[in-house]
Amino acid sequence: MNDRNDVSCRKIKEAVCIDTDRVYDSCADKDCLADLRVYFTDQTQQLIDNAVSVRCRGCEVLNVCTEIERVPFNKGFYSVDLTFFFLVSLDVFTSAQCPEETVCGLCMFSKKCILYGSDGNVKIFSSEFADRQNDEQLPPATTSPKAKVQVAEPICLDAKLCRPCDCCSSIRDGINVPSYIRNRFRGSLCAPSDSKAVKVTLGVFTIVQLERSVQMLIPAYDFCMPCKECSCDTEDPCDAFRRIKFPVDEFFPPNQRDMGVSELPDAPSSGCGCSANRI
């Protein structure tokens, strides 16, 4: 065993300093966002007013806006405010005889989490230049921590018609939606108080990270030269298809026993200090 370690150590040629982003803290959450109101354009709202039922077709994350602030009296910790913008696709049924119509709407959700991002804040000036800016030097950056959010594709769990007063997360008129979000919709988003409304329940998985730019010393083994040649052969597509393994799992999904799920321990709760606050 010691001989193997000696061999691996001899392969290290030098220690090099790199400038990279280090993750100082992170947390994972599984949120069930219940009764989020969906906002529609004027034209789509008329169709919702005539609807007798709705069905959720799908949902995607348009963007997540992040804001970071220092936590008072708790050095090195930061409050990360997250605002999620979801594009929800719905099938709208106006009568039993008419086929459904598919419409899109917007719903939002906000949450906050506390993460450790270390301390220190200096300005960084670089000799790089910005393209198409008349050779102007890039503006200075800072070493303040930055938040990174990873979001899995949301799961639409439920959708139903309701009165606006019954939507728990209803928002007042004049909601502040960024222009690049509004541009995804044809027309202006509205929230009438005397019309029908739609509320949905979404399941969202997120990972929030707090990163900071640092210089780190790492071992260098060698330059990473590619170990294979570029292939420019134009082979028969049928020959390439024959080499693809038959996707058995697509037709016969493995059960829990085959996947070893029963042997896995219970997943720990996130416990990352995240608190969900509806807008």
Side-chain angles (χ1 to χ4, degrees):
M1 191 68 176
N2 294 333
D3 294 339
R4 292 183 180 179
N5 292 335
D6 294 339
V7 172
S8 62
C9 290
R10 284 197 296 269
K11 293 181 180 179
I12 300 176
K13 292 193 172 183
E14 60 177 331
V16 297
C17 183
I18 63 171
D19 192 352
T20 186
D21 291 333
R22 174 185 172 182
V23 179
Y24 274 80
D25 200 1
S26 63
C27 66
D29 261 347
K30 180 176 69 173
D31 296 310
C32 183
L33 314 181
D35 297 341
L36 295 180
R37 181 173 180 178
V38 184
Y39 294 89
F40 305 97
T41 60
D42 299 333
Q43 183 176 0
T44 305
Q45 183 63 46
Q46 296 178 4
L47 183 63
I48 297 298
D49 292 339
N50 298 324
V52 294
S53 65
V54 293
R55 180 179 61 195
C56 189
R57 175 178 288 269
C59 179
E60 66 172 295
V61 182
L62 292 178
N63 200 3
V64 182
C65 295
T66 61
E67 294 184 3
I68 302 178
E69 293 184 359
R70 291 179 179 269
V71 177
F73 312 110
N74 203 347
K75 187 176 181 179
F77 284 85
Y78 294 81
S79 170
V80 184
D81 294 307
L82 308 172
T83 302
F84 296 79
F85 295 91
F86 301 101
L87 178 67
V88 181
S89 300
L90 299 167
D91 289 335
V92 181
F93 300 87
T94 55
S95 66
Q97 293 76 22
C98 298
E100 72 275 9
E101 295 190 43
T102 303
V103 299
C104 293
L106 175 71
C107 62
M108 291 148 288
F109 174 76
S110 68
K111 63 182 294 183
K112 176 183 295 186
C113 58
I114 306 296
L115 294 174
Y116 178 76
S118 189
D119 207 3
N121 187 14
V122 298
K123 288 186 177 181
I124 302 175
F125 297 87
S126 173
S127 60
E128 296 181 75
F129 293 89
D131 295 335
R132 300 185 300 275
Q133 296 294 331
N134 297 324
D135 287 340
E136 294 183 1
Q137 188 169 341
L138 291 176
T142 65
T143 58
S144 300
K146 60 182 179 181
K148 180 182 291 186
V149 185
Q150 302 179 49
V151 188
E153 200 68 20
I155 303 173
C156 193
L157 302 173
D158 188 27
K160 59 182 67 175
L161 291 169
C162 65
R163 297 177 301 173
C165 58
D166 295 333
C167 291
C168 300
S169 62
S170 59
I171 306 173
R172 299 177 182 177
D173 296 342
I175 175 177
N176 184 19
V177 178
S179 58
Y180 57 85
I181 298 294
R182 292 182 179 271
N183 293 337
R184 294 291 301 267
F185 301 89
R186 296 181 180 179
S188 59
L189 296 171
C190 60
S193 58
D194 56 348
S195 303
K196 289 183 180 179
V198 175
K199 59 182 179 180
V200 296
T201 299
L202 306 178
V204 182
F205 298 90
T206 58
I207 294 179
V208 184
Q209 298 172 323
L210 210 55
E211 300 178 346
R212 181 184 288 271
S213 179
V214 295
Q215 291 77 41
M216 301 187 68
L217 192 66
I218 64 171
Y221 295 89
D222 207 340
F223 291 104
C224 50
M225 289 293 296
C227 58
K228 67 176 182 179
E229 297 181 357
C230 299
S231 176
C232 300
D233 297 334
T234 55
E235 59 181 349
D236 187 351
C238 290
D239 291 339
F241 178 75
R242 293 189 188 99
R243 289 197 295 269
I244 300 176
K245 187 177 180 181
F246 191 86
V248 179
D249 290 344
E250 296 295 329
F251 294 89
F252 307 97
N255 56 37
Q256 290 186 352
R257 180 172 301 176
D258 295 338
M259 297 177 64
V261 175
S262 60
E263 300 177 358
L264 295 178
D266 295 336
S269 59
S270 60
C272 62
C274 300
S275 58
N277 298 313
R278 297 187 177 88
I279 299 180

